[in-house]
Amino acid sequence: MAKRKTKKIKINKIKLFVSMALVGVFAAIVYTVYLDFAVRGRFEGKRFALPARVYARPLEIYPGLELNISELTAELALLGYRQTAAAQEPGTYRWRGQGLDLVSRAFTFGDGPQESTSCTVRFADGQVVGLQDRVVSNDLDLLRLDPALIGGIYPGENEDRVLIKLDEVPPSVVEALIAVEDRRFYRHHGIDPRGIARALVMTVSGKSVQGGSTLTQQLVKNFYLSAERTIRRKVTEMVMAVLLEMHYSKEEILETYLNEVYLGQDGNRAIHGFGLASSYFFDKPLPHLGLSEGALLVGMLKGPAYYSPRHHPKRALERRNLVLSQMVEAGFITEQQCAAAKADPLGVVDRPPRGTSPYPAFLGLVHRQLQRDYRDEDLRSEGLQIFTTLDPGVQRVAEKALQERLTRLETVRRMPAGSLQGAVVVTATQNAEVQACVGGRDPRFEGFNRVLDARRPIGSLIKPVVFLTALQRPSQYTLATLLDDSPLVLKQAGTEPWRPQNYDKRFHGKVPLRAALMHSYNVSTARLGLTLGVDSVMDNLRRLGVEREMTAFASSLLGANDLSPLEIAQVYQCMASGGFRTPLHAIREVLTAEGEPLQRYPLNVEQVIEPGSNYLLTTALQAVAHEGTAQGLYNRLSPTLDVAGKTGTTDDYRDSWFAGFTGDRLGVVWVGRDDNESTGLTGASGAMGIWADLMLALNPEPLLLSRPENVEHVWIDPPSGLLSDGGCPDAVELPFIVGSAPTESAPCGPRSVENSIKNWFKRIFQ
């Protein structure tokens, strides 16, 4: 009985074992099917997310262009061009006195590919005076350099890569990889039992610690899994490696591996793949890499940080030479080739091509404008090529002006170092392109972007909008209209009476409209705005380009509303372009990853201000610089520039503004403190100095106004606002909309009694 019972127990154990085994096998099959689905799902889909690449405007060189040698040298440095003894390869140059031999790089623009050009550029008196092809000795009309890469919009992990095909990879790179990482790559099926056994023996014997992973396993780990060190992860890796080899060829696996691997770090940008690593470390396309250069990249796979040739050149050199020796062992190169390659220097360029943007404020503007048309995930994965309006030369000048002037102000006024902040935006008046954007005194800081996000009270920068609203009513207001600048008390239910004050704490009685703007009188401006209607003024502000919803209070007439420097630039851009509103833009066009045009950003122009009214306002803004609150500008700049501009100061001197334009550029500068404490600076003593430094370095064109047909000039006696004569004391010649000029004469005017008597005697004696 007992024997039968024992036998039954054994049978039950066997059944249990078999059942468990069957369950295990079934589970393994299900898991394998799941892994197979995962392997094929990602490998057959989009394998890599490619970041958008953002470029500055290309520099176009032509005879007559104002460009000095130092400016071009700075541009070439930004592009990564190398000065050599004889400029022969793309991306090289050589100075010869006032001449430059240059070989440009080939590049694909939106209008098609452009070949590399070997040419000579000649300079004289700060201008390009000659441009000649060095190959065929013909004069050239134009040379367009490749645009500088100024940043990217990266995937979530900030991975950056340049995809390459296997046939673009030098054979020596593949051979080095096989020799060092997986010599049986072409003979195993994803896992290599011999390699695992060898690694096990080496590890147990204490000779070295080896992983024994094949290239396929390494790809699986990097591409599908994590770096977690567990048995489960290792088994999964091996199963997936076998599955990968079942479905795909060795060439597909190798190509994916070469694009996937991590090879370094550039700030917060991760360098992935041999394509990008080639340009990052050697500034060369991958197909141009030599034996020693390829061996160095392969050697870095073991530890990109530890073997970094820029930070640890000795380690990197030893590792590279070890790779070369193993290539000899594997039979890929001879001893002589190995010795020659080992004699090569590392060859790594000192300054890698830019990836992490040196212009984060401008890049932030580009990103926001792109988000109007593209999904963020597409920007981070489709490899779009973004061509922008950034002028690196203007940006460089703007950064320098802001940094140096803030430091000087802190020193002179004994402020704590670093307490002042600022922002600068520069645009082209002709097409509303944003040429420079400085988000703070540290222009490389990627945090708070003051050009876009520092919304501050705008102070007197609003006044041109108040006066424009008046000048749009020529039957009621002209530049000669006398305004009341006597004490004003505005009583509103539920609020304290509002008593605006002038900056000098005085009242000026009757003042001409033009003078009220020139001297930035608050009281007369407020009274004028209340007569016009606050809503009318705010409507005009929106018409000029402010899209933000704003409350309309009486204090809005003196700049109580908050706007960013970019929004102010939009408002003044409209004035600078003759009353035509063109949205400020930082993007010219977008290409696909393959170089196909995807979208252009043409000018969108709308006339929103009648040209005559805008002309009158602009002449008054020119008077601000010649005779008013901004006359200090001409201590630095030539009066012939005829700058139109306006200072702005807010309560307790918390904000210092200046907005102004010349014939070709508009600049807006803000200075303040992030803690909103007083700076003690007016618009003239703070922001205006930065603006002057900026324009002095840019050598702008003078502002020459074209008088509209409906505008005439008339001599005026300012104190009375009546007609005057060119020979009368204090007379000024002002523009008027035809039919709006005064008809009565001042005592010295052409229709005055005094002049009539003079003319009567004159006729008698003649």
Side-chain angles (χ1 to χ4, degrees):
M1 187 70 182
K3 191 174 181 180
R4 185 181 301 168
K5 188 175 180 180
T6 302
K7 184 177 180 181
K8 187 175 182 181
I9 291 172
K10 285 184 177 177
I11 292 173
N12 287 339
K13 286 184 176 178
I14 292 172
K15 286 182 177 177
L16 179 61
F17 176 78
V18 170
S19 299
M20 291 179 65
L22 289 174
V23 170
V25 169
F26 179 75
I29 292 173
V30 171
Y31 188 54
T32 302
V33 170
Y34 163 75
L35 292 179
D36 187 67
F37 179 80
V39 165
R40 287 185 293 144
R42 180 159 182 197
F43 217 78
E44 291 177 3
K46 186 175 180 177
R47 295 179 190 171
F48 300 105
L50 294 179
R53 299 191 177 281
V54 183
Y55 297 92
R57 61 92 186 92
L59 177 62
E60 295 183 338
I61 302 174
Y62 52 87
L65 174 67
E66 289 193 5
L67 180 73
N68 59 45
I69 290 176
S70 62
E71 291 170 339
L72 182 54
T73 301
E75 182 82 16
L76 294 175
L78 181 68
L79 289 169
Y81 277 49
R82 303 189 306 279
Q83 185 165 7
T84 58
Q88 294 180 331
E89 297 182 356
T92 61
Y93 65 94
R94 181 184 66 154
W95 284 106
R96 291 188 295 114
Q98 294 292 303
L100 172 74
D101 291 338
L102 169 75
V103 185
S104 68
R105 296 191 185 111
F107 195 84
T108 299
F109 293 93
D111 55 4
Q114 175 182 281
E115 298 299 322
S116 171
T117 302
S118 177
C119 63
T120 296
V121 187
R122 296 193 309 279
F123 295 84
D125 301 325
Q127 280 195 344
V128 175
V129 295
L131 186 62
Q132 188 173 54
D133 191 306
R134 292 167 62 200
V135 177
V136 294
S137 300
N138 284 343
D139 289 338
L140 296 173
D141 295 327
L142 178 73
L143 171 68
R144 182 166 54 173
L145 297 180
D146 48 307
L149 178 64
I150 59 170
I153 301 174
Y154 299 108
E157 300 297 326
N158 282 340
E159 289 186 8
D160 193 10
R161 55 172 53 82
V162 173
L163 292 185
I164 43 97
K165 299 287 186 185
L166 187 58
D167 57 12
E168 298 173 313
V169 183
S172 62
V173 172
V174 175
E175 291 166 355
L177 188 65
I178 300 296
V180 174
E181 297 292 334
D182 187 0
R183 292 191 189 177
R184 288 173 42 78
F185 175 70
Y186 289 106
R187 285 174 281 175
H188 61 64
H189 299 285
I191 58 176
D192 183 10
R194 291 172 55 180
I196 295 173
R198 184 177 61 255
L200 190 61
V201 169
M202 297 293 284
T203 301
V204 171
S205 65
K207 293 182 178 178
S208 66
V209 178
Q210 295 189 2
S213 295
T214 64
L215 285 177
T216 313
Q217 286 176 267
Q218 293 178 38
L219 175 61
V220 167
K221 184 181 74 174
N222 296 333
F223 202 60
Y224 298 97
L225 306 175
S226 67
E228 181 187 17
R229 287 176 171 269
T230 64
I231 295 177
R232 179 185 173 187
R233 202 275 296 158
K234 192 68 179 176
V235 171
T236 302
E237 172 190 300
M238 295 170 70
V239 174
M240 293 181 82
V242 173
L243 292 170
L244 196 63
E245 296 250 1
M246 287 172 58
H247 292 296
Y248 305 102
S249 68
K250 291 285 186 183
E251 287 72 23
E252 286 178 283
I253 292 170
L254 188 58
E255 181 178 283
T256 306
Y257 180 95
L258 291 165
N259 282 306
E260 166 57 32
V261 288
Y262 170 70
L263 280 161
Q265 197 70 28
D266 174 28
N268 64 353
R269 180 178 68 138
I271 307 299
H272 280 259
F274 279 72
L276 180 59
S278 176
S279 63
Y280 180 70
F281 289 106
F282 303 108
D283 194 19
K284 291 181 181 179
L286 183 60
H288 294 176
L289 285 195
L291 173 60
S292 61
E293 295 164 330
L296 176 62
L297 292 185
V298 171
M300 290 171 58
L301 289 172
K302 188 177 182 181
Y306 188 81
Y307 294 108
S308 167
R310 288 201 178 93
H311 299 106
H312 308 290
K314 185 178 178 183
R315 286 182 201 161
L317 187 69
E318 292 173 352
R319 178 69 184 164
R320 182 201 70 174
N321 291 345
L322 178 63
V323 172
L324 291 168
S325 297
Q326 294 194 2
M327 292 179 73
V328 176
E329 286 180 19
F332 289 126
I333 60 174
T334 65
E335 289 284 1
Q336 291 75 17
Q337 289 173 310
C338 177
K342 284 183 178 180
D344 288 343
L346 286 176
V348 174
V349 294
D350 294 332
R351 184 178 174 184
R354 295 187 184 278
T356 300
S357 179
Y359 313 118
F362 185 86
L363 200 67
L365 173 62
V366 170
H367 197 172
R368 289 193 195 183
Q369 294 192 348
L370 284 170
Q371 285 175 322
R372 299 173 188 167
D373 301 315
Y374 299 93
R375 297 183 307 166
D376 202 55
E377 61 188 88
D378 292 337
L379 294 174
R380 298 181 186 279
S381 65
E382 296 297 331
L384 300 180
Q385 300 180 65
I386 316 297
F387 293 86
T388 74
T389 60
L390 179 83
D391 186 320
V394 178
Q395 176 76 23
R396 192 163 45 249
V397 167
E399 292 175 3
K400 185 171 184 285
L402 180 65
Q403 288 178 316
E404 292 186 352
R405 178 64 68 159
L406 290 185
T407 301
R408 195 182 316 162
L409 286 170
E410 289 169 348
T411 302
V412 171
R413 293 173 175 263
R414 298 181 179 178
M415 299 177 186
S419 58
L420 289 179
Q421 268 296 352
V424 181
V425 58
V426 183
T427 70
T429 56
Q430 299 302 314
N431 55 21
E433 289 188 344
V434 180
Q435 297 181 328
C437 187
V438 188
R441 66 186 300 167
D442 179 2
R444 309 289 170 258
F445 180 62
E446 296 187 11
F448 188 52
N449 186 344
R450 292 168 188 80
V451 168
L452 304 181
D453 299 322
R455 294 196 292 273
R456 309 285 299 197
I458 60 175
S460 296
L461 294 192
I462 188 68
K463 285 175 183 167
V465 184
V466 178
F467 288 96
L468 174 65
T469 308
L471 294 171
Q472 288 171 310
R473 305 176 188 181
S475 61
Q476 295 176 269
Y477 296 97
T478 70
L479 292 175
T481 301
L482 296 180
L483 302 180
D484 184 359
D485 196 62
S486 61
L488 169 66
V489 179
L490 179 65
K491 296 180 180 178
Q492 294 175 300
T495 63
E496 291 291 321
W498 185 51
R499 296 183 174 86
Q501 298 287 321
N502 286 320
Y503 174 74
D504 58 5
K505 307 299 182 187
R506 296 167 53 196
F507 299 99
H508 304 276
K510 294 292 184 181
V511 293
L513 186 150
R514 176 174 175 267
L517 180 58
M518 271 174 19
H519 301 298
S520 203
Y521 292 150
N522 288 334
V523 181
S524 46
T525 302
R527 186 176 270 109
L528 173 64
L530 290 171
T531 304
L532 296 168
V534 179
D535 288 338
S536 296
V537 175
M538 301 307 279
D539 285 346
N540 240 354
L541 189 59
R542 280 184 282 274
R543 195 172 292 117
L544 289 166
V546 174
E547 297 177 349
R548 185 190 312 280
E549 287 297 323
M550 292 174 293
T551 52
F553 301 115
S555 57
S556 300
L557 299 169
L558 299 182
N561 293 89
D562 299 343
L563 291 177
S564 70
L566 188 71
E567 288 172 312
I568 288 294
Q570 180 65 73
V571 171
Y572 278 72
Q573 177 74 33
C574 191
M575 301 174 196
S577 60
F580 291 88
R581 185 178 63 205
T582 305
L584 296 179
H585 56 284
I587 307 165
R588 288 181 176 175
E589 61 183 337
V590 178
L591 305 187
T592 65
E594 292 75 30
E596 297 296 325
L598 190 61
Q599 188 168 0
R600 296 184 188 277
Y601 289 81
L603 286 181
N604 182 12
V605 181
E606 179 185 5
Q607 184 172 353
V608 294
I609 303 296
E610 191 274 321
S613 304
N614 194 77
Y615 179 86
L616 267 55
L617 175 68
T618 305
T619 61
L621 291 173
Q622 288 177 312
V624 170
H626 281 291
E627 307 171 52
T629 56
Q631 58 185 294
L633 271 181
Y634 293 128
N635 294 332
R636 308 288 315 283
L637 303 173
S638 167
T640 58
L641 282 176
D642 266 339
V643 169
K646 186 69 190 78
T647 54
T649 311
T650 60
D651 290 348
D652 299 325
Y653 306 100
R654 289 191 174 93
D655 303 279
S656 167
W657 290 92
F658 189 78
F661 49 94
T662 67
D664 58 347
R665 288 198 171 92
L666 179 147
V668 173
V669 180
W670 169 81
V671 174
R673 290 176 54 148
D674 285 345
D675 59 8
N676 202 30
E677 291 295 316
S678 174
T679 65
L681 298 169
T682 64
S685 63
M688 194 179 77
I690 295 167
W691 195 95
D693 292 343
L694 169 69
M695 291 299 169
L696 186 65
L698 291 177
N699 190 25
E701 296 176 4
L703 178 58
L704 304 175
L705 298 180
S706 176
R707 188 175 70 181
E709 292 183 355
N710 65 336
V711 171
E712 60 179 351
H713 282 79
V714 177
W715 286 96
I716 293 294
D717 173 55
S720 65
L722 302 179
L723 291 177
S724 185
D725 189 89
C728 294
D730 301 325
V732 293
E733 190 176 28
L734 298 180
F736 290 84
I737 302 296
V738 172
S740 68
T743 54
E744 293 182 46
S745 281
C748 183
R751 300 172 192 171
S752 65
V753 175
E754 181 181 331
N755 259 341
S756 296
I757 295 173
K758 285 182 181 176
N759 291 336
W760 184 77
F761 278 106
K762 193 174 179 180
R763 285 196 297 272
I764 288 178
F765 289 107
Q766 282 179 341

